[in-house]
Amino acid sequence: MTTARQAADPEMSLEQSKYDPTAGTDGAEEDTEDVPAIENIDVELQQRQQELDNISDERKTNWEMIRAFLVCGAAFFADAYLMFSSNVIVMIMGYVYYHDSADESRNVVPNKWSTLVKVAVQTGCLLGQLILGRLGDRFGRTGVFAMGAILVIISTVGASFSNDAVRGFNVFVFLFIWLVLVGIGVGGDYPLAATITSEYADERSRGKMMAAVFAFQGLGNVSASIVAIIVLACFKSAIQSDVYTLDYVWRICLGFGAIPGAVSLYWRLTMPESARFKEETRRRQLATEALHELETESLLAKPACIEAGETGSAQTASADPQHTREAGGGAMCEEQTTRRLTDESFSQYFGQWRHLKVLLGTSLAWFAVDVAFYGINLNSSVVISAIGFSGDVQKDDPYRVLTRNCLGNIIINLLGSIPGYICAVFTIERLGRKPIQLFGFAALTVLYIVIGFGYHRILDASNVAFIVLFTLAQFFQNFGPNVTCFVWPGEVFPTRFRATAHGISAAAGKLGAIVAQAGLMSIKDRGGPNAFIPHLIEVFALFTLAGFFVTFWIPETRGKTLEDIEGET
């Protein structure tokens, strides 16, 4: 039966008429009876298909989120292993290269070479965070992320083969060069892993996922000591008969750091960009094209304006000056808006105080916490020696001294650091970033004051009390600013600058680590071996107190989407 609309439009097909809301209104009754039934069936099929598509999209999104989490977590595991293994590697190298030295210098790497090795990865990290963070915003997060992994793998293998030159550089200089390259790749993981995880996650789980990625750092720290104990056990009899066998041990321990990166390299190479970064890239590309069109139109209009200027422009302007101003103003406003989307530079955005203070807050807080965090964790052997757990480096069996140092590091981390990471992961979405960071800084300030001013009295009274205070400090570093300083910069900055700004914040932290190791810890022996340690811990309290106050410059991000946060800041 032909409907009224079909009669008016002979080209309208029967299939089209089934979906036309007016089809059959002027036709016979049988059309009005059949069409709704067909429409209901089609609508139901469409709804079911849409539900299946939604389930498929949700599963795909969940898998991409899980894969991003695991790959970024593996990256941080490897990074922490390489950063914190330097502590035990320097101890082992003391037995290899200074076994024949006299008195207190025997089996101990001189302070200048020890410091050089320990700051190598930190120096590279600072460079990598700045350079690879910027490249991540410019060329994409995942491609640069994979490039960093390749650099870490190659450089780690190269570092494990470091040796003395016949003339010129010794093994420590070559090791420094290789470890700086390792650090560049490691440093890039900070802004890129944080940004990737942040952009894949939703507002309900974003903080938890980012904190969990960073918590792999604790596992990497513990694993460095576990691997060292295993390798030492494998060479135990050889070490006890010939101490120079330890030359194999430190190289194997260091080379092991390339394995996690190699295992996860394929997934880094095949990881897609986040939807947010793709959308930002598309938006900026459209804005660039629109600006190009505006500029082209402006150039084409200039000759006409010049030609008409002498004949009719003055008359038009005098006839309707308001219209002229509105037309010119509208075009100028459109061009300025488009140009802002394409040309707004990093310096222009952060030239505004409301944006700059957030960047200063994240950077200074990270600097403050890392002065204390790396000042202690890169020198955990000092603390272990202070409680008499490790033994005498000059007199005792090398295997026993090294094994007990590694075991002490594991115990300290399992008592303090690991529980701190776990608490941060499971409470960051409930408590928020700001309360955790403020309370962490406050607790650290109090603990460092107590430990610093009561250092010798506490040790003389009870080693157990000293260990409890020290592990509490380790706990509140991670259930506090060490985790939140990583999470926050991945949320509070716009997509186009997120990796760059996170890299700057993280680089400020690594600058703090270098200041602690190359500056503060270099004077730890003033007045005698480790005699200045109590005063350094007092200095750490000043830094954590400063971190407490700059935290107020950073807005809370709990429960907000990245788009909402960008609009507010």
Side-chain angles (χ1 to χ4, degrees):
M1 181 69 68
T2 304
T3 66
R5 288 194 59 183
Q6 284 176 299
D9 185 2
E11 296 181 0
M12 184 177 184
S13 66
L14 178 61
E15 185 67 23
Q16 290 173 312
S17 69
K18 288 191 298 184
Y19 299 96
D20 182 27
T22 62
T25 54
D26 296 327
E29 292 184 3
E30 58 268 23
D31 290 337
T32 62
E33 294 175 359
D34 294 341
V35 171
I38 296 173
E39 286 182 345
N40 289 337
I41 294 173
D42 288 342
V43 169
E44 185 177 352
L45 289 173
Q46 289 177 356
Q47 290 176 344
R48 290 181 178 178
Q49 183 61 45
Q50 184 63 42
E51 291 174 359
L52 291 173
D53 291 342
N54 290 340
I55 293 172
S56 177
D57 291 341
E58 185 177 354
R59 287 178 176 175
K60 182 179 179 182
T61 301
N62 289 339
W63 163 240
E64 289 177 348
M65 190 185 304
I66 292 170
R67 181 172 68 170
F69 165 73
L70 292 175
V71 172
C72 293
F76 262 86
F77 174 88
D79 296 347
Y81 179 94
L82 290 167
M83 282 191 291
F84 295 108
S85 64
S86 62
N87 191 32
V88 66
I89 286 172
V90 167
M91 287 192 65
I92 297 172
M93 293 178 77
Y95 285 99
V96 176
Y97 295 97
Y98 294 93
H99 183 63
D100 296 329
S101 299
D103 302 328
E104 293 183 354
S105 299
R106 187 169 183 262
N107 299 331
V108 178
V109 175
N111 195 47
K112 64 176 181 178
W113 299 123
S114 172
T115 300
L116 191 71
V117 173
K118 290 181 180 180
V119 302
V121 175
Q122 310 303 326
T123 303
C125 276
L126 190 152
L127 297 174
Q129 286 157 348
L130 295 174
I131 297 171
L132 299 188
R134 178 58 187 142
L135 293 177
D137 279 335
R138 186 74 181 273
F139 301 107
R141 286 84 158 98
T142 56
V144 180
F145 192 44
M147 182 179 70
I150 295 171
L151 180 60
V152 169
I153 294 167
I154 295 173
S155 302
T156 301
V157 174
S160 65
F161 286 98
S162 298
N163 216 328
D164 288 327
V166 176
R167 293 179 180 175
F169 294 155
N170 64 14
V171 63
F172 296 100
V173 175
F174 282 113
L175 187 59
F176 171 81
I177 294 170
W178 280 113
L179 290 181
V180 167
L181 294 176
V182 169
I184 292 174
V186 168
D189 287 344
Y190 277 74
L192 297 173
T195 302
I196 290 169
T197 307
S198 173
E199 292 176 352
Y200 266 107
D202 58 35
E203 67 275 11
R204 293 168 299 176
S205 60
R206 185 180 61 242
K208 182 185 292 186
M209 285 189 63
M210 295 178 72
V213 165
F214 194 69
F216 277 86
Q217 186 183 74
L219 298 178
N221 190 349
V222 172
S223 297
S225 296
I226 293 174
V227 170
I229 289 174
I230 293 172
V231 177
L232 285 166
C234 293
F235 286 87
K236 180 178 179 180
S237 58
I239 293 169
Q240 291 175 337
S241 61
D242 181 8
V243 71
Y244 293 106
T245 307
L246 285 168
D247 191 44
Y248 295 108
V249 175
W250 76 262
R251 296 178 190 279
I252 293 172
C253 291
L254 180 57
F256 186 85
I259 295 176
V263 171
S264 63
L265 181 60
Y266 170 78
W267 285 276
R268 287 210 205 190
L269 291 169
T270 57
M271 182 186 294
E273 292 288 356
S274 69
R276 284 187 172 93
F277 181 77
K278 290 178 181 178
E279 175 60 25
E280 175 66 19
T281 303
R282 186 192 67 83
R283 184 183 67 83
R284 291 178 66 81
Q285 184 177 358
L286 291 175
T288 302
E289 293 173 355
L291 179 61
H292 179 70
E293 291 179 2
L294 285 171
E295 291 176 343
T296 303
E297 292 175 2
S298 177
L299 289 172
L300 292 175
K302 281 183 179 179
C305 291
I306 293 171
E307 183 179 350
E310 298 179 356
T311 57
S313 297
Q315 297 177 2
T316 304
S318 60
D320 193 358
Q322 181 66 27
H323 174 75
T324 303
R325 285 196 300 270
E326 290 178 356
M332 185 178 297
C333 181
E334 181 181 0
E335 183 172 352
Q336 288 176 347
T337 301
T338 308
R339 189 177 294 279
R340 181 181 63 79
L341 292 173
T342 56
D343 292 344
E344 184 179 33
S345 66
F346 183 89
S347 60
Q348 288 173 328
Y349 180 84
F350 288 101
Q352 304 174 55
W353 171 245
R354 67 191 184 100
H355 300 316
L356 178 61
K357 74 174 182 179
V358 178
L359 181 60
L360 288 174
T362 57
S363 300
L364 293 175
W366 209 332
F367 175 87
V369 70
D370 272 9
V371 169
F373 181 80
Y374 285 98
I376 289 177
N377 282 276
L378 289 180
N379 299 277
S380 57
S381 59
V382 174
V383 177
I384 296 168
S385 176
I387 61 176
F389 186 80
S390 61
D392 192 321
V393 175
Q394 281 79 32
K395 299 176 181 178
D396 291 348
D397 175 40
Y399 173 80
R400 180 181 182 277
V401 171
L402 293 170
T403 302
R404 288 180 69 82
N405 263 283
C406 293
L407 185 60
N409 186 56
I410 293 171
I411 293 171
I412 289 173
N413 277 280
L414 291 180
L415 289 176
S417 296
I418 300 299
Y421 284 117
I422 294 172
C423 287
V425 170
F426 288 102
T427 61
I428 194 167
E429 293 297 356
R430 295 181 181 180
L431 301 178
R433 287 69 164 151
K434 185 172 286 188
I436 291 176
Q437 183 157 310
L438 286 172
F439 187 75
F441 270 131
L444 287 171
T445 302
V446 173
L447 287 166
Y448 287 145
I449 289 174
V450 172
I451 295 172
F453 286 97
Y455 190 86
H456 294 294
R457 280 174 289 179
I458 296 170
L459 280 174
D460 292 340
S462 172
N463 282 346
V464 174
F466 184 85
I467 293 171
V468 169
L469 290 171
F470 186 77
T471 52
L472 281 174
Q474 295 288 89
F475 176 83
F476 284 111
Q477 280 177 342
N478 295 305
F479 181 49
N482 193 40
V483 169
T484 52
C485 282
F486 173 80
V487 172
W488 237 339
E491 300 176 312
V492 292
F493 302 113
T495 303
R496 61 189 180 280
F497 301 132
R498 185 168 293 128
T500 303
H502 193 289
I504 291 173
S505 303
K510 286 297 168 282
L511 180 60
I514 294 170
V515 167
Q517 189 59 48
L520 298 177
M521 295 305 293
S522 65
I523 59 174
K524 67 183 178 65
D525 294 328
R526 179 176 293 180
N530 298 327
F532 208 70
I533 289 293
H535 302 298
L536 293 179
I537 296 175
E538 295 164 12
V539 173
F540 294 161
L542 291 176
F543 281 99
T544 54
L545 181 62
F548 177 87
F549 288 109
V550 299
T551 298
F552 290 101
W553 288 348
I554 315 171
E556 180 58 71
T557 56
R558 179 172 65 95
K560 299 176 182 178
T561 65
L562 294 178
E563 291 72 25
D564 290 340
I565 297 167
E566 182 176 347
E568 291 176 3
T569 58

